[in-house]
Amino acid sequence: MNRLRLGVNIDHVATIRNARGGRHPDPVRAAHMAAAAGADGITAHLREDRRHISDRDMERLANEITLPLNFEMAATEEMVSIALRHRPHAACIVPEKREERTTEGGLDVAGQFASLKPLVGRLMDAGIRVSMFIEADPKQLDASKALGAPVIELHTGAYCDAEGEERDREFSRIKAAAAHAEAIGLECHAGHGLSYDTVKPVAAIPSIMELNIGHFLVGEAIFIGLDASIRHMRRLMDEARGS
Ligand code: PXP
């Protein structure tokens, strides 16, 4: 089976740094460590309120890391101009509300089609691989395809938050959406809320090509270190994939 890529999201290294200001811990150093621990890419979300990653972090990540950089961004003019300046390997368009604690729910691509279309076109014309962060809903997959985005990332938050039968139901939706993505020719990624407990079933879905994981890895790093937390996640993904 094809190898599943791991994108390590380093936002929350910046969250800890920002709790005191200053420079420590440095998310760029975390990105280098993630590369050494087996990450295939680095993911960072420059939020409108700059609560974790800063503009300077984005600039340094774009200039200093060798792994592909995945820039998570809201669909705003400000973020498009930053993306066009840094030209990351990929841009993942996410919904953003100031008052939310994290990205709650997927982007309504079907509902915002007209405003998203030119924005996605500009990023793609600059050679940036665009993905849409959406719920596991066929309507949103079809709209992403119609938009011309080559990649979708399925929001796994509801699956990770649920328990018992509800989790099974959420998982079935992710599996069906991943199959739908493959059928209509979209590359499928997934992420949000994944942990050692929840990663394996998602990693075992063959048409999913990449997982983006952050909060759990940085949290676990407090106990076992960042290198060990990433290596263990990588191992679980490979086991699930049979590789
Ligand atoms: N993928 C996307 C599009 C996200 O917005 C986030 C959170 O920034 C993640 C993946 C990673 O989620 P978590 O930090 O919960 O692992």
Side-chain angles (χ1 to χ4, degrees), residues 9 11-12 45 72 92 94 102-103 133 153 191-194 212-216:
N9 182 315
D11 292 350
H12 296 300
H45 185 176
E72 290 177 354
C92 181
V94 302
T102 181
T103 310
F133 188 46
E153 180 166 328
H192 210 283
L194 291 169
N212 284 296
I213 310 180
H215 183 267
F216 179 85

Coordinates of all heavy atoms in Angstrom, one line a residue, residues 9 11-12 45 72 92 94 102-103 133 153 191-194 212-216, ligand 1:
N9 N 1.9 19.6 12.5 CA 1.4 21.0 12.7 C 2.1 21.6 13.9 O 1.9 21.0 15.0 CB -0.1 21.0 12.8 CG -0.7 22.4 13.0 OD1 -0.1 23.2 13.7 ND2 -1.8 22.7 12.3
D11 N 1.8 24.7 15.2 CA 1.2 25.9 15.8 C 1.3 26.0 17.3 O 1.6 27.1 17.8 CB -0.3 25.8 15.5 CG -0.7 26.0 14.1 OD1 0.2 26.3 13.3 OD2 -1.9 25.8 13.8
H12 N 1.2 24.9 18.0 CA 1.1 25.0 19.5 C 2.4 25.1 20.2 O 2.5 25.4 21.4 CB 0.2 23.9 20.0 CG -1.2 24.1 19.5 ND1 -1.9 25.3 19.7 CD2 -2.0 23.4 18.6 CE1 -3.1 25.2 19.1 NE2 -3.2 24.1 18.4
H45 N -0.6 27.3 10.7 CA -1.8 28.1 10.5 C -1.6 29.5 11.0 O -1.4 29.7 12.2 CB -3.0 27.4 11.3 CG -4.3 28.1 11.1 ND1 -5.5 27.6 11.6 CD2 -4.7 29.1 10.4 CE1 -6.5 28.3 11.3 NE2 -6.1 29.3 10.5
E72 N -1.9 26.7 6.3 CA -3.3 26.7 6.6 C -3.8 28.2 6.7 O -3.2 29.0 7.5 CB -3.7 26.0 7.9 CG -3.5 24.5 7.8 CD -3.7 23.8 9.1 OE1 -4.0 24.5 10.1 OE2 -3.7 22.6 9.1
C92 N -3.9 25.2 2.6 CA -5.2 24.5 3.0 C -6.1 25.6 3.4 O -5.9 26.3 4.4 CB -4.9 23.5 4.1 SG -6.4 22.6 4.6
V94 N -9.1 27.1 5.2 CA -9.9 26.7 6.4 C -10.9 27.8 6.8 O -10.6 29.0 6.5 CB -9.0 26.4 7.6 CG1 -8.0 25.3 7.3 CG2 -8.3 27.6 8.1
T102 N -10.5 26.5 18.2 CA -9.8 25.8 17.1 C -10.7 25.8 15.9 O -11.8 26.4 16.0 CB -9.3 24.4 17.5 OG1 -8.6 23.8 16.4 CG2 -10.5 23.5 17.9
T103 N -10.2 25.3 14.8 CA -11.1 25.3 13.6 C -12.3 24.4 13.8 O -12.1 23.1 13.7 CB -10.2 24.9 12.4 OG1 -9.0 25.6 12.4 CG2 -11.0 25.1 11.1
F133 N -10.5 22.4 3.4 CA -10.7 21.6 4.6 C -12.2 21.5 4.9 O -12.9 22.5 5.2 CB -10.0 22.4 5.8 CG -10.0 21.7 7.1 CD1 -9.7 20.4 7.2 CD2 -10.4 22.4 8.3 CE1 -9.6 19.7 8.5 CE2 -10.3 21.8 9.5 CZ -10.0 20.4 9.6
E153 N -9.1 18.1 2.5 CA -8.7 17.5 3.7 C -10.0 17.3 4.6 O -10.7 18.3 4.8 CB -7.7 18.4 4.5 CG -7.3 17.9 5.8 CD -6.1 18.6 6.5 OE1 -5.2 19.0 5.7 OE2 -6.1 18.6 7.7
G191 N -7.4 15.3 9.0 CA -6.8 15.8 10.2 C -7.7 16.6 11.1 O -8.9 16.9 10.7
H192 N -7.3 16.8 12.2 CA -7.9 17.6 13.3 C -8.3 16.6 14.5 O -9.1 15.7 14.3 CB -9.1 18.4 12.9 CG -9.3 19.6 13.8 ND1 -9.8 19.5 15.1 CD2 -8.9 20.9 13.6 CE1 -9.7 20.7 15.6 NE2 -9.2 21.6 14.7
G193 N -7.6 16.8 15.6 CA -7.9 16.1 16.8 C -7.4 14.7 16.9 O -7.6 14.0 17.9
L194 N -6.6 14.3 15.9 CA -6.1 12.9 15.9 C -5.1 12.7 17.0 O -4.2 13.6 17.3 CB -5.4 12.6 14.5 CG -6.4 12.5 13.4 CD1 -5.7 12.4 12.0 CD2 -7.4 11.3 13.5
N212 N -2.6 15.4 8.8 CA -2.0 16.6 9.5 C -2.4 16.6 11.0 O -3.6 16.6 11.3 CB -2.5 17.9 8.8 CG -1.8 18.0 7.5 OD1 -0.6 18.2 7.4 ND2 -2.5 17.9 6.4
I213 N -1.3 16.5 11.8 CA -1.6 16.3 13.2 C -0.7 17.3 14.0 O 0.5 17.4 13.7 CB -1.2 14.9 13.6 CG1 -1.9 13.9 12.7 CG2 -1.6 14.6 15.1 CD1 -1.6 12.4 13.0
G214 N -1.3 18.0 15.0 CA -0.5 18.9 15.7 C -0.7 18.9 17.2 O 0.2 18.6 18.0
H215 N -1.9 19.3 17.7 CA -2.1 19.5 19.1 C -1.7 18.3 20.0 O -1.0 18.5 21.0 CB -3.6 19.9 19.4 CG -3.9 20.2 20.8 ND1 -4.3 19.3 21.7 CD2 -3.7 21.4 21.5 CE1 -4.5 19.9 22.9 NE2 -4.1 21.2 22.7
F216 N -2.1 17.1 19.6 CA -1.8 16.0 20.4 C -0.2 15.8 20.5 O 0.3 15.4 21.5 CB -2.5 14.7 19.9 CG -2.1 13.5 20.7 CD1 -2.8 13.2 21.8 CD2 -1.1 12.7 20.3 CE1 -2.5 12.1 22.6 CE2 -0.7 11.6 21.1 CZ -1.4 11.3 22.2
Ligands
PXP1 N1 -5.7 20.2 9.6 C1 -6.3 21.4 9.7 C2 -6.9 21.9 8.4 C3 -6.3 22.2 10.8 O1 -6.9 23.4 10.8 C4 -5.7 21.7 12.0 C5 -5.6 22.5 13.2 O2 -4.9 23.7 13.0 C6 -5.1 20.4 11.9 C7 -5.1 19.6 10.7 C8 -4.4 19.8 13.1 O3 -5.3 19.5 14.1 P1 -4.8 19.1 15.6 O4 -3.9 20.3 16.0 O5 -6.0 19.0 16.3 O6 -4.0 17.9 15.4

